[in-house]
């Protein structure tokens, strides 16, 4: 799937409206790359709005800095109006506000693209705004919002794209071409749920332990033998649960993940930023729903249960 | 064992020297009650020394206040000299300082009484200061040090007394009579190790979760369904491990503990005070050693492993 799909490439209408909801690192980065490539991107943002309208958006990338100006930035979704593509890059913990934000952006043709962590966000979008095509994007990226309207990229990989409750259809192909035109590697997945569970194998331990162990990065987790062991055993639990649900994740995936993570250096998982900045954790999407889904199948996950209980308590006190 | 043992009572020499090492809530409370009953108690204390010598020791008890004056308080153990009884009421995390503190207090007849949390502290005392009689006291008490030289009692129950590596001998009987004379309920146990593991069934979850969940008391733990579930499942793990080691602890002990704890109201486990006051946790005595002992027997305790890993990390950052 790495080769360019010329047919789809040529069919893309660069004037089709795209809305990016959420002006954190994810929204600014992917929205910024699409806008840079000539796509018609509209950003919804609040606190950074004036600055971004006046000075534009900055993406730092190694020693390079990319400056996007002007930026189509808006403070409300009625100002944007109906779009072909709506990229949702808010924290899943803030999904309730989408009930108010999204309707002005929707036409019958609107495709929702979910760039959120955890499971079942696409299901929630489909149930609240469907029937329509809902695409899930699983991001392999290390980016931080390093200032108002500013994102720093510490390395990024592919975006996995799947479609809720369906094999990938033509909308996934179109969106994939848009990302590729913007210089982003992509891979289509036949089972969005399986890909989301696979991502959980990393997110559940690293996002969770980084917070519950007192605010530490991935290198510090792996430097403590008992935390590394906890990481492995959490990964085993998740893989066992995923396999029991019919998803094909092998146990050797654990070593791959650990090797990959050791190369990330002092990377801070997104939940660690939530913790430092006293924002709500994505508690249900990353830990709560997987635990409950496994329980419904009669699968007991003792470590995830404890981690969820602790994070839920910490989250209620932030 | 609740009736008074008249023979032992009469054989007690009230002039026998007692040293109390550690002037926290435990040392001041039990040492204070013994001194009040006429025993020859010497307190080792540092920061509160001048105040206690000048003004005495205060024990608050419901609406009553007991004032002990004068108090035999000293700043070093050579000033105290050899004692018949040495009560160790320091945190187990500070045991290394005993290597320096204890020798001036010891004669061949000295009995060590360990009033510490967790397991294997008596073993450590025996290995470093034996062969001699080492008594373990398991305290069922809710007391806090509420000021310099001041302790507030929120309810207390019995002290369980056992002897390291032995059935209770005459020294345990003698010490038991001393406590009873001071108004303290006691119970002798044939297996000190079993009694210590039984206490762990409470300490591991409540001391641990109170810290790892962000600094909450026992009522707050039990008010959160997932934390209550984590408590139960941790208790089950500990009981399973204890039973595999041959200790007689039944699973219905869990409900008893929860019922008892619900009556404690907003009680703060001792580790929660350690956490609030940024003192080291008793990390090995309460969580680390039990985990390692179970591992040596091939018993996997997934929840305890995670809890220990998290607390160990939090502890290293306090």
């Amino acid at each position: 799937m790495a080769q360019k799909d010329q047919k789809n490439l040529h069919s893309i209408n660069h004037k089709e409206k795209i809305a990016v909801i959420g002006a954190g690192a994810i929204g600014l980065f992917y929205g910024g790359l699409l806008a840079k490539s000539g796509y018609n991107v509209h950003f919804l943002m609040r606190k950074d709005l004036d600055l971004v309208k006046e000075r534009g958006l900055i993406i730092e990338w190694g020693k390079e800095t990319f400056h996007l100006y002007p930026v189509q930035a808006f403070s409300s979704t009625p100002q944007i109006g109906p779009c072909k593509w709506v990229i949702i890059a808010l924290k899943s913990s803030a999904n309730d506000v989408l009930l108010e934000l999204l309707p002005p952006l929707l036409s019958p043709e609107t495709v929702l693209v979910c760039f959120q962590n955890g499971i079942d966000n696409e299901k929630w979008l489909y149930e609240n705004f469907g029937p329509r095509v809902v695409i899930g994007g699983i991001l392999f990226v290390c980016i931080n919002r390093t200032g108002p309207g500013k994102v720093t990229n510490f390395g990024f990989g592919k975006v996995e794209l799947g479609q809720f409750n369906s094999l990938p259809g033509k909308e996934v192909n179109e969106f994939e071409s848009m990302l590729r035109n913007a210089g982003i590697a992509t891979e289509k997945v036949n089972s969005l749920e399986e890909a989301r569970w696979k991502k959980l194998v990393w997110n559940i331990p690293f996002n969770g332990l980084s917070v519950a162990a007192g605010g530490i990065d991935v290198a510090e987790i792996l430097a403590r033998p008992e935390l590394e062991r906890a990481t492995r055993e959490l990964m085993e639990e998740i893989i066992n649960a995923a396999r029991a649900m019919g998803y094909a994740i092998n146990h050797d995936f654990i070593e791959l993940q650990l090797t990959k993570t050791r190369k990330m250096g002092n990377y801070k998982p997104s939940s660690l930023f939530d913790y430092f900045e006293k924002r709500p954790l994505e508690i249900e999407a990353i830990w709560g729903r997987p635990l409950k889904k496994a329980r419904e199948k009669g699968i007991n996950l003792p470590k995830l249960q404890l981690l969820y209980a602790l994070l839920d308590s910490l989250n209620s006190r932030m």
Side-chain angles (χ1 to χ4, degrees), chain A residues 216-318:
Chain A
I216 64 179
D217 63 38
V218 299
E220 292 170 307
I221 290 172
L222 293 176
R224 301 189 74 86
E226 291 289 347
L227 280 178
E228 200 218 40
R229 182 172 177 148
T231 302
R232 282 176 195 279
E233 291 183 7
L234 278 161
M235 287 179 167
E236 289 202 29
E237 281 190 5
I238 313 311
I239 291 174
N240 285 339
R243 289 172 69 90
M245 291 178 203
Y247 304 133
I249 311 177
N250 291 319
H251 284 278
D252 57 11
F253 188 62
I254 295 175
E255 281 313 314
L256 280 175
Q257 294 296 301
L258 292 175
T259 304
K260 194 183 80 174
T261 308
R262 282 198 191 90
K263 292 181 186 146
M264 290 182 191
N266 290 96
Y267 178 63
K268 294 180 176 61
S270 61
S271 300
L272 186 53
F273 281 98
D274 296 339
Y275 173 74
F276 286 147
E277 293 165 21
K278 298 188 186 302
R279 285 194 303 254
L281 299 174
E282 297 188 273
I283 186 77
E284 294 306 322
I286 301 180
W287 302 278
R289 285 182 213 142
L291 178 67
K292 278 152 206 163
K293 286 207 142 177
R295 265 184 201 162
E296 282 162 16
K297 301 268 179 190
I299 304 162
N300 189 23
L301 306 181
K303 283 190 136 74
L304 176 57
Q305 193 279 328
L306 176 55
L307 185 58
Y308 171 66
L310 294 173
L311 292 170
D312 189 40
S313 171
L314 292 169
N315 193 45
S316 75
R317 302 168 62 76
M318 293 210 294

Side-chain angles (χ1 to χ4, degrees), chain A residues 33-308:
Chain A
L33 291 185
L34 286 166
K36 181 188 172 202
S37 304
Y39 289 99
N40 182 17
V41 180
H42 297 64
F43 292 88
L44 176 74
M45 54 180 71
R46 291 200 169 140
K47 62 178 177 182
D48 299 343
L49 180 70
D50 291 339
L51 185 96
V52 168
K53 281 173 94 159
E54 206 177 296
R55 311 227 190 140
L57 181 64
I58 291 170
I59 298 177
E60 282 189 341
W61 197 318
K63 289 182 201 268
E64 284 179 64
T65 299
F66 166 66
H67 188 197
L68 181 70
Y69 185 87
V71 177
Q72 302 185 88
F74 302 88
S75 65
S76 77
T77 48
Q79 294 174 296
I80 300 175
C83 293
K84 174 66 194 287
W85 308 92
V86 176
I87 299 174
I88 292 149
L90 279 179
K91 293 277 173 185
S92 61
S93 47
N95 273 357
D96 280 352
V97 305
L98 294 175
L99 297 172
E100 188 198 333
L101 289 181
L102 283 200
L105 303 172
L106 303 180
S107 76
E109 288 73 38
T110 305
V111 175
L112 299 179
V113 181
C114 178
F115 272 7
Q116 298 180 310
N117 279 318
I119 61 168
D120 281 355
N121 294 309
E122 293 88 0
K123 180 167 180 270
W124 184 89
L125 289 169
Y126 187 86
E127 285 169 356
N128 283 280
F129 305 104
R132 68 175 66 244
V133 173
V134 179
I135 296 175
I138 297 154
L139 316 172
F140 295 86
V141 70
C142 297
I143 44 181
N144 295 323
R145 178 180 170 283
T146 45
K150 184 175 170 187
V151 184
T152 305
N153 168 36
F154 300 101
F156 81 123
K158 66 185 172 185
V159 174
E160 289 181 351
L161 293 170
Q163 183 166 338
F164 174 67
N165 253 1
S166 164
L167 288 172
K170 69 176 170 51
E171 293 84 358
V172 174
N173 290 336
E174 264 188 76
F175 190 73
E176 184 179 33
S177 296
M178 290 159 62
L179 291 183
R180 288 186 181 187
N181 286 345
I184 301 160
T186 61
E187 186 173 324
K188 274 183 289 200
V189 295
N190 286 333
S191 166
L192 179 61
E193 285 67 33
E194 180 175 290
R196 288 270 178 220
W197 272 88
K198 218 165 168 177
K199 188 81 188 300
L200 286 180
V201 175
W202 195 93
N203 282 135
I204 283 178
F206 284 108
N207 284 52
L209 297 177
S210 73
V211 171
I216 64 179
D217 63 38
V218 299
E220 292 170 307
I221 290 172
L222 293 176
R224 301 189 74 86
E226 291 289 347
L227 280 178
E228 200 218 40
R229 182 172 177 148
T231 302
R232 282 176 195 279
E233 291 183 7
L234 278 161
M235 287 179 167
E236 289 202 29
E237 281 190 5
I238 313 311
I239 291 174
N240 285 339
R243 289 172 69 90
M245 291 178 203
Y247 304 133
I249 311 177
N250 291 319
H251 284 278
D252 57 11
F253 188 62
I254 295 175
E255 281 313 314
L256 280 175
Q257 294 296 301
L258 292 175
T259 304
K260 194 183 80 174
T261 308
R262 282 198 191 90
K263 292 181 186 146
M264 290 182 191
N266 290 96
Y267 178 63
K268 294 180 176 61
S270 61
S271 300
L272 186 53
F273 281 98
D274 296 339
Y275 173 74
F276 286 147
E277 293 165 21
K278 298 188 186 302
R279 285 194 303 254
L281 299 174
E282 297 188 273
I283 186 77
E284 294 306 322
I286 301 180
W287 302 278
R289 285 182 213 142
L291 178 67
K292 278 152 206 163
K293 286 207 142 177
R295 265 184 201 162
E296 282 162 16
K297 301 268 179 190
I299 304 162
N300 189 23
L301 306 181
K303 283 190 136 74
L304 176 57
Q305 193 279 328
L306 176 55
L307 185 58
Y308 171 66

